[in-house]
Amino acid sequence: MVNDIDTTKQTRADEVRAFIARTPLAQEMGLRCEVMGDEMTMIMPYQEKLIGNFMIKAIHGGAIAAFLELTSQAQVFLVTEHLERPPRPINLTIDYLRQGHAKDLYARAEITKMGRRMCSVRAEAWQDERAKPVTTLMAHFMVSGD
Amino acid sequence: MSDDAASSPAPWEVMNENIDMISGGIPWGRRMAFRFTRIEKGHVWGLQPWKERLVGDPDTGVIHGGVLTAFLDNLCGTAASSALPKPRFVATLDLRLDYMRPADKGRDIIGEAECYHVTRNICFTRAWAYHESRDKVIATAAGAFAINKPRSVDSMRTM
């Protein structure tokens, strides 16, 4: 039994990696994910093209938002077994807390409430210190499968 | 209108004259291939073409919601700057996106943003993304922007 569960988790982690690998925007942004059981960290390695303001070399807020949205989608997909595909977003709110500097970004998402039709997710992106998030996101996704 | 405005063009006029330069000065915007098409005082229009590399769902070919977020974020920020009497940078404080319907595969997306209120420190904006008209909207956005104090580029580097 334990083995069965482990196999399922393994398969879903592979599906999440496949989602990142076959989604053009995720590839364009250079994303990769590290899955550890039901936990996942998404990484966006720094690239010059991600810059939003060349005068201050800050990463584009929209790129960080897309990064957090993809992270949230992947996390919901990872832990929601009945989903056949990553969930569609209903809406999201992004809080820009600090400037995203010209270096790698990391993100994690957490499901605050899983409902039958929708779920509520929070995610945050950071660089040097997890306790000092660059950007946070709050979003709702459809999980009803249609 | 202040005396300043009478003697020199308003920021939105300068922005509209240099509209291609503004579009080209954003590396991620350039990569996403969006551009501003018209700038008026507190009102900005733009175009986000469909591109294979921006697709979020390879099965349907629909571009990812995150592309619209970046597009509308930039449009709102530009609408905020264009509403101000003096040239100032603005920084996104927060942005809310509502996804109403998926965009069609292969079609350009039109974006429109307006700055509807300005206080001493903050610009309040809203935006729409659609194919044909605001009646059939793909996504809407609402964002608040902090108006940066004028400062040198050097001081911005040490932030």
Side-chain angles (χ1 to χ4, degrees):
Chain A
M1 272 316 264
V2 173
N3 276 342
D4 280 356
I5 293 166
D6 282 346
T7 310
T8 313
K9 283 280 182 236
Q10 195 59 43
T11 308
R12 190 33 79 96
D14 289 340
E15 282 182 70
V16 168
R17 279 187 282 265
F19 159 61
I20 297 304
R22 67 190 286 263
T23 300
L25 183 69
Q27 287 307 298
E28 175 65 30
M29 297 170 71
L31 302 194
R32 61 168 212 272
C33 60
E34 282 178 13
V35 184
M36 294 144 279
D38 64 350
E39 293 200 354
M40 184 202 66
T41 305
M42 195 77 84
I43 299 139
M44 181 164 78
Y46 171 71
Q47 298 182 77
E48 192 108 318
K49 67 180 172 190
L50 296 170
I51 291 290
N53 186 333
F54 63 91
M55 283 174 67
I56 53 173
K57 277 241 167 194
I59 298 181
H60 197 289
I64 302 175
F67 173 50
L68 283 171
E69 189 177 328
L70 281 155
T71 304
S72 303
Q73 264 185 310
Q75 181 67 41
V76 175
F77 189 42
L78 178 67
V79 300
T80 315
E81 282 175 21
H82 72 267
L83 281 182
E84 284 170 19
R85 49 170 60 232
R88 286 185 204 293
I90 301 164
N91 57 27
L92 52 91
T93 305
I94 313 138
D95 219 345
Y96 292 103
L97 305 172
R98 296 179 175 83
Q99 192 175 298
H101 297 287
K103 51 177 101 168
D104 297 358
L105 261 168
Y106 314 102
R108 277 200 177 200
E110 169 182 14
I111 288 131
T112 37
K113 160 85 198 289
M114 178 58 73
R116 229 176 324 185
R117 287 188 301 159
M118 18 206 146
C119 76
S120 188
V121 182
R122 280 163 206 265
E124 56 184 36
W126 73 95
Q127 292 185 310
D128 294 324
E129 281 179 70
R130 178 94 201 258
K132 289 185 176 170
V134 169
T135 306
T136 62
L137 167 139
M138 206 175 77
H140 294 101
F141 289 89
M142 290 301 299
V143 290
S144 58
D146 36 81
Chain B
M1 282 283 144
S2 67
D3 292 343
D4 273 1
S7 55
S8 59
W12 72 266
E13 290 174 292
V14 180
M15 290 167 76
N16 196 42
E17 277 164 27
N18 298 285
I19 196 161
D20 293 332
M21 209 182 75
I22 295 174
S23 302
I26 308 157
W28 183 242
R30 220 158 48 209
R31 196 60 204 148
M32 296 205 322
F34 71 64
R35 60 178 193 273
F36 305 121
T37 52
R38 184 169 147 208
I39 299 174
E40 292 178 1
K41 186 176 167 60
H43 208 152
V44 175
W45 289 260
L47 193 77
Q48 170 65 65
W50 184 88
K51 295 274 174 201
E52 180 72 51
R53 62 173 180 270
L54 305 178
V55 165
D57 182 348
D59 297 332
T60 60
V62 171
I63 64 170
H64 197 270
V67 175
L68 292 178
T69 309
F71 178 46
L72 295 184
D73 182 357
N74 251 148
L75 282 178
C76 283
T78 307
S81 289
S82 76
L84 302 174
K86 288 185 175 159
R88 290 279 187 276
F89 285 118
V90 297
T92 320
L93 214 52
D94 70 356
L95 188 75
R96 180 196 163 108
L97 260 285
D98 287 285
Y99 298 117
M100 310 301 185
R101 60 164 63 77
D104 295 341
K105 178 185 177 177
R107 292 182 77 184
D108 291 353
I109 294 167
I110 298 166
E112 187 182 333
E114 67 176 27
C115 176
Y116 62 95
H117 189 74
V118 179
T119 68
R120 187 193 296 264
N121 293 304
I122 308 291
C123 291
F124 295 91
T125 65
R126 54 187 160 224
W128 300 261
Y130 50 84
H131 288 310
E132 277 143 28
S133 76
R134 260 160 61 169
D135 299 339
K136 209 177 158 192
V137 76
I138 296 163
T140 60
F145 289 79
I147 304 166
N148 286 351
K149 298 273 176 282
R151 56 187 173 182
S152 71
V153 171
D154 278 347
S155 72
M156 292 163 95
R157 283 209 179 92
T158 57
M159 264 177 68

